[in-house]
């Protein structure tokens, strides 16, 4: 379904139900977004734009990743961004589910790249809004999710 939306992800070649094995494309020499975000801030705008557009397209197709971290977004040698690890993904049109997806990504960025997190998250959300027509409603819900998250962090 992601490929139909134009989202780069590893191709699934074969599922062997008897031996519980999945055969899929290997992303040669790809770097995680986590590694890419270690580059100077001045070079991060195109990377963040691609990440926001990818997540926006994913959500426009009512796909929620469920584990949207910087380790699950891969920059290929050709400059394209691919998404991996759909083990927790599901289909949903709910703004809450999409907002939680964004919140998980924000937290992943903030926890590992605190010095550039604010700007990186801002750039990602700008591109997200351009790619996803219903982004405003999701961003409103994201504010609620953030406030619940802060309360949970304060209480422990």
């Amino acid at each position: 379904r992601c490929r139909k939306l134009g989202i780069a992800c590893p191709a699934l070649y074969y599922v062997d139900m008897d031996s519980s094995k999945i055969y899929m494309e290997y992303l040669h020499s790809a770097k995680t977004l986590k590694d890419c975000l270690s580059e100077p801030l001045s070079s991060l705008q195109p990377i963040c734009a691609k990440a926001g557009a990818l997540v926006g397209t994913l959500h426009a197709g009512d796909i929620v990743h469920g584990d949207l971290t910087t380790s699950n977004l891969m920059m290929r040698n050709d400059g394209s961004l691919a998404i991996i690890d759909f083990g927790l993904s599901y289909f949903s049109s709910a703004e809450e589910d999409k907002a939680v997806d964004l919140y998980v990504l924000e937290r992943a960025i903030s926890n590992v790249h605190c010095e550039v997190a604010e700007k990186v998250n801002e750039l990602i959300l700008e591109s997200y809004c351009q790619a996803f027509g219903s982004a405003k409603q999701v961003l409103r819900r994201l504010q609620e999710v953030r406030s619940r998250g802060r309360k949970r962090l304060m209480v422990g």
Side-chain angles (χ1 to χ4, degrees):
R1 190 148 175 210
C2 285
R3 287 182 175 261
K4 287 181 182 176
L5 295 170
I7 296 170
C9 57
L12 182 63
Y13 297 133
Y14 179 70
V15 176
D16 186 340
M17 299 298 279
D18 295 330
S19 64
S20 301
K21 292 183 181 178
I22 298 173
Y23 297 87
M24 58 194 311
E25 176 185 10
Y26 178 74
L27 301 179
H28 296 280
S29 304
K31 288 174 50 174
T32 64
L33 182 62
K34 181 179 179 179
D35 292 336
C36 293
L37 292 179
S38 298
E39 297 174 14
L41 182 60
S42 59
S43 66
L44 295 181
Q45 196 283 330
I47 296 167
C48 295
K50 289 176 185 178
L54 186 146
V55 177
T57 303
L58 190 74
H59 287 175
D62 288 335
I63 300 172
V64 175
H65 188 274
D67 189 22
L68 200 52
T69 67
T70 54
S71 295
N72 288 332
L73 295 167
M74 306 289 292
M75 182 64 70
R76 294 176 163 176
N77 285 341
D78 65 4
S80 67
L81 195 63
I83 189 166
I84 63 168
D85 192 1
F86 287 90
L88 297 175
S89 66
Y90 56 98
F91 300 111
S92 174
S93 60
E95 295 164 3
E96 174 78 11
D97 295 340
K98 295 170 185 178
V100 169
D101 231 13
L102 289 174
Y103 182 70
V104 169
L105 181 58
E106 279 188 347
R107 296 294 302 162
I109 292 167
S110 297
N111 289 339
V112 179
H113 304 281
C114 52
E115 64 284 346
V116 295
E118 188 175 334
K119 184 63 176 172
V120 165
N121 285 324
E122 177 185 310
L123 291 169
I124 288 172
L125 291 179
E126 282 177 18
S127 182
Y128 177 83
C129 289
Q130 293 171 0
F132 181 32
S134 299
K136 283 187 180 181
Q137 295 92 312
V138 173
L139 294 185
R140 263 187 252 127
R141 186 58 66 99
L142 177 59
Q143 290 296 340
E144 295 173 25
V145 171
R146 284 175 181 148
S147 66
R148 291 195 309 258
R150 275 193 287 276
K151 288 177 187 168
R152 192 173 300 133
L153 289 174
M154 289 186 321
V155 174

